[in-house]
Amino acid sequence: MIQIQPSARALLPLLVFLALFIGTGTWLTLQGVEFAFYQLPAPVAALPAVMLALLLGKEGFNSNLETFFKGVGHSNIMAMCLIYLLAGAFASVAKATGGVDATVALGLSLIPGWALLPGLFLISAFIATAMGTSMGTIGAVAPVALGVAQAAGIDPVLMAGTILSGAMFGDNLSIISDTTIAATRSQGCEMKDKFRENFKIAAPAAIAVILLYLTLGSVGEAPANGNAIELVKVMPYLLILGLALAGVNVFVVLGIGILAAGTVGMVNGYAIGQFSKDIYQGFTGMQEIFLLSMLIGGLGALMERQGGLAWISERISALIARFTREHNGEQNEKAAELGIAGVVSLTNLCTANNTVAIIVASKVARDLAEHHGVTPRRAASMLDIFSCVVQGLIPWGAQALLLGSIFAMSPLAVVSMSFYPMALAVAALIAVFVKHQMRGKADKQ
């Protein structure tokens, strides 16, 4: 077995990837280009980094290439990519068959005027949880929410922040979101276990935000919704949520969800040919994250073999030891959880993509978790929570940019009212400190 020596030099390819991705986005932002951080596709930015990693290794190009292929073809990476495809197919078919419109119509029909903000938060949260995509949720709900805000006299900035908050709630908790898939597969835990761990932190944050929206959004009657209410079109969403929470294998859940959404559509005249096209459209919508996952998987394998990840883990472990007053497993576990939160947060600030941040930070997070007694479900939860916290608060993120374009306002204004990510960060930090404080008291007794 080859002894891996920690090496900061092995991190140069990752720095090249981040420099290209961030540098291009920053430059285009200064030029006034919309969606600047998304003009250079992340998989393209990863290619020079991969080439550099192949050349840096001391074992020769062919051996490095073999390591890269093993990383690309790792079972976790392949499973992750297949789940991406199925999740994209379900979201595409459900949207094409009217599931999103039906859910919005149902929600608006049930919301009284005095609860428009918390109601739209919950609608966005439900759709994002069921679809597994914050961007898809924002694209579907934001135009409706803008009309509601104008008709009811609600501050558009507050409404935009509400939709962003709900979308990030669902993105973080959804069992079929790409962030959940990346976090659970990389940390080696079941999605239902991560959901339960995550929910204990997310629920108090959501309740606090709902109470806040109740005080901020008191208006008259809700504007009439023109869409007919069709409960049957909402059923595929409810079905996959129920199956996933029951612990059914995610591949089975998504397969059944796709068939259920397609069947509901066919009852209403949805053609089989269009069904197949929408499934493929869902596949193509996941193309970028599919390719990036494979490239980052290979790059991660090279950096691990060349000692880059060992160097990061060594540095973070040194910090944990330095700032730990009591050198026992309990205290180290708390510090490791904070380390995982810090690594993924900093990566997300740089990449402006929460899924990319999780993929990049996942190996370091798993190493920290294994060395300091953090359970896989807890590590996955910390990864997902703090990536979504950052993603919901950065004005250069795709979610804020999309809402800004729909509401015709600055993305900075959008994130200024994004209360849920703020509340989630506070709830997560409290959970970390309270958990270990209570355990420490129990041990002393």
Side-chain angles (χ1 to χ4, degrees):
M1 183 175 179
I2 298 175
Q3 182 69 31
I4 297 176
Q5 295 297 326
S7 171
R9 178 171 172 265
L11 296 175
L12 284 175
L14 179 60
L15 296 178
V16 168
F17 166 65
L18 295 178
L20 284 172
F21 194 70
I22 300 166
T24 302
T26 302
W27 171 255
L28 292 177
T29 298
L30 295 174
Q31 303 303 308
V33 176
E34 293 186 357
F35 297 93
F37 278 84
Y38 296 85
Q39 297 302 311
L40 174 63
V44 176
L47 288 176
V50 170
M51 290 304 302
L52 178 59
L54 290 171
L55 295 172
L56 280 178
K58 298 178 180 179
E59 299 175 16
F61 186 85
N62 289 336
S63 178
N64 291 335
L65 196 60
E66 188 66 26
T67 299
F68 175 76
F69 289 149
K70 287 180 180 178
V72 169
H74 192 280
S75 60
N76 281 342
I77 298 295
M78 288 295 98
M80 192 187 302
C81 289
L82 289 174
I83 295 171
Y84 287 149
L85 293 181
L86 291 175
F90 171 74
S92 177
V93 172
K95 183 176 182 180
T97 54
V100 176
D101 292 337
T103 302
V104 173
L106 175 62
L108 288 178
S109 71
L110 299 174
I111 301 173
W114 53 267
L116 282 176
L117 284 177
L120 281 163
F121 169 81
L122 290 173
I123 289 175
S124 298
F126 174 77
I127 293 176
T129 303
M131 289 180 66
T133 166
S134 55
M135 289 294 287
T137 299
I138 291 169
V141 178
V144 177
L146 177 59
V148 170
Q150 293 171 340
I154 297 175
D155 182 359
V157 176
L158 183 57
M159 180 62 81
T162 300
I163 302 306
L164 178 56
S165 291
M168 296 315 299
F169 174 92
D171 195 333
N172 173 220
L173 271 184
S174 176
I175 294 178
I176 63 170
S177 78
D178 46 8
T179 58
T180 294
I181 294 164
T184 54
R185 297 301 303 188
S186 66
Q187 301 307 301
C189 73
E190 295 292 328
M191 293 186 181
K192 63 177 181 178
D193 294 333
K194 179 263 182 187
F195 177 88
R196 291 166 183 163
E197 186 77 25
N198 211 152
F199 188 77
K200 291 185 290 187
I201 297 172
I207 292 170
V209 169
I210 288 171
L211 293 175
L212 176 61
Y213 285 141
L214 281 171
T215 65
L216 294 176
S218 180
V219 295
E221 290 301 313
N225 181 67
N227 294 327
I229 299 172
E230 299 174 276
L231 289 175
V232 69
K233 293 183 177 180
V234 184
M235 293 309 296
Y237 289 138
L238 298 175
L239 178 62
I240 68 163
L241 284 175
L243 290 174
L245 291 175
V248 179
N249 182 280
V250 66
F251 291 100
V252 176
V253 170
L254 290 171
I256 291 175
I258 292 168
L259 290 175
T263 301
V264 167
M266 289 174 195
V267 171
N268 295 281
Y270 185 54
I272 293 180
Q274 188 61 46
F275 180 42
S276 64
K277 290 179 181 177
D278 286 330
I279 289 175
Y280 186 70
Q281 183 179 351
F283 288 171
T284 59
M286 290 291 181
Q287 175 179 298
E288 181 173 338
I289 192 63
F290 183 99
L291 293 173
L292 182 63
S293 293
M294 291 197 300
L295 291 173
I296 293 295
L299 182 62
L302 285 169
M303 290 193 300
E304 182 178 27
R305 185 67 172 264
Q306 295 166 14
L309 300 183
W311 186 86
I312 294 177
S313 296
E314 188 177 73
R315 298 281 81 74
I316 295 176
S317 296
L319 283 173
I320 290 173
R322 179 179 178 183
F323 292 105
T324 296
R325 288 193 295 266
E326 297 176 32
H327 295 279
N328 55 41
E330 306 283 294
Q331 287 291 92
N332 282 345
E333 185 182 346
K334 176 176 72 176
E337 289 178 7
L338 294 174
I340 292 170
V343 168
V344 76
S345 296
L346 289 172
T347 306
N348 208 136
L349 281 170
C350 294
T351 60
N353 186 306
N354 46 347
T355 307
V356 175
I358 290 173
I359 294 171
V360 170
S362 61
K363 284 187 178 293
V364 173
R366 186 161 187 167
D367 187 59
L368 281 172
E370 290 175 349
H371 280 82
H372 298 284
V374 179
T375 63
R377 65 177 182 271
R378 184 76 169 187
S381 181
M382 289 292 107
L383 274 175
D384 203 343
I385 284 174
F386 282 95
S387 68
C388 285
V389 163
V390 173
Q391 189 67 24
L393 293 175
I394 53 174
W396 58 90
Q399 292 81 357
L401 293 171
L402 179 57
L403 275 164
S405 66
I406 293 173
F407 278 73
M409 64 178 62
S410 164
L412 187 60
V414 173
V415 299
S416 69
M417 295 287 186
S418 183
F419 297 128
Y420 175 73
M422 302 177 193
L424 182 61
V426 173
L429 290 173
I430 289 174
V432 170
F433 284 98
V434 169
K435 170 188 172 184
H436 296 285
Q437 184 177 20
M438 292 177 63
R439 185 178 294 176
K441 289 181 179 178
D443 288 344
K444 289 178 181 178
Q445 293 175 352

